Amino acid sequence: MFELMPFGHNHLFRNDARDMFALMDAFDKEFFRGSRHSASAFRTDISDNGENFLLESELPGFAKENISIDINGDFLVIKASSSSEQKDEKDSNFIHRERRSASYERSFNISGIDVEGIDAKYENGILSVTLPKLKEEKKAQKSIEIK
């Protein structure tokens, strides 16, 4: 039975709780290996470009129409979903038929961001979202006379 497992069987005999999480993570990665989408959320890089942040999310295989960006309070929510069906048909009898669907959602805290200036584009499977920082208002300096 152990040779059918997609990971080393020596992980099964450890008692450490951290190893149990590593075991489940290894199983998840191995189980979904080879599929176009993994079970985890899409990968995102965030860089600080001085006056703004650049959020770049990998969403290969998604149509632009199936990606949404919403603001919910202090959170930017990115959702992506797709479904496809492949058919190899001869007359009306199925010879081969497959279906695939995927749906992902991630939220990012955008407190300190100028919401009106957010800009997004999707090109070559990469969603790029520019998040301009709020301008810090300089506090007026004033001397107070003591009476």
Side-chain angles (χ1 to χ4, degrees):
M1 173 178 140
F2 288 114
E3 53 274 352
L4 297 177
M5 300 264 183
F7 44 81
H9 67 276
N10 59 344
H11 291 289
L12 296 173
F13 301 108
R14 295 184 182 165
N15 292 325
D16 191 353
R18 289 174 292 160
D19 288 332
M20 180 55 89
F21 289 115
L23 171 72
M24 295 305 292
D25 187 47
F27 174 77
D28 180 55
K29 287 178 182 173
E30 189 66 28
F31 182 79
F32 289 100
R33 185 181 64 165
S35 69
R36 290 180 44 146
H37 302 284
S38 81
S40 61
F42 51 87
R43 295 176 189 213
T44 300
D45 296 330
I46 301 173
S47 57
D48 186 344
N49 297 332
E51 294 190 15
N52 59 51
F53 294 103
L54 178 62
L55 184 144
E56 294 178 304
S57 297
E58 295 178 1
L59 294 167
F62 287 92
K64 183 170 124 176
E65 303 79 43
N66 295 332
I67 300 171
S68 68
I69 303 173
D70 299 307
I71 296 173
N72 187 0
D74 281 342
F75 290 92
L76 180 84
V77 181
I78 300 174
K79 296 178 186 177
S81 63
S82 71
S83 66
S84 66
E85 197 172 305
Q86 295 178 345
K87 298 179 185 179
D88 291 334
E89 298 180 20
K90 293 189 178 179
D91 298 327
S92 63
N93 296 327
F94 293 99
I95 300 298
H96 177 79
R97 189 173 191 174
E98 291 184 356
R99 294 166 197 82
R100 178 187 63 80
S101 66
S103 179
Y104 299 106
E105 179 177 328
R106 288 204 57 192
S107 298
F108 301 91
N109 187 323
I110 56 169
S111 55
I113 297 297
D114 178 10
V115 175
E116 298 301 319
I118 295 175
D119 185 42
K121 70 177 182 176
Y122 182 65
E123 189 173 33
N124 297 326
I126 304 292
L127 175 67
S128 300
V129 182
T130 303
L131 305 162
K133 297 177 184 178
L134 280 175
K135 306 280 189 245
E136 289 185 31
E137 293 182 22
K138 294 183 181 180
K139 305 285 183 189
Q141 286 186 331
K142 178 180 171 181
S143 294
I144 308 294
E145 182 182 334
I146 302 174
K147 297 182 185 179

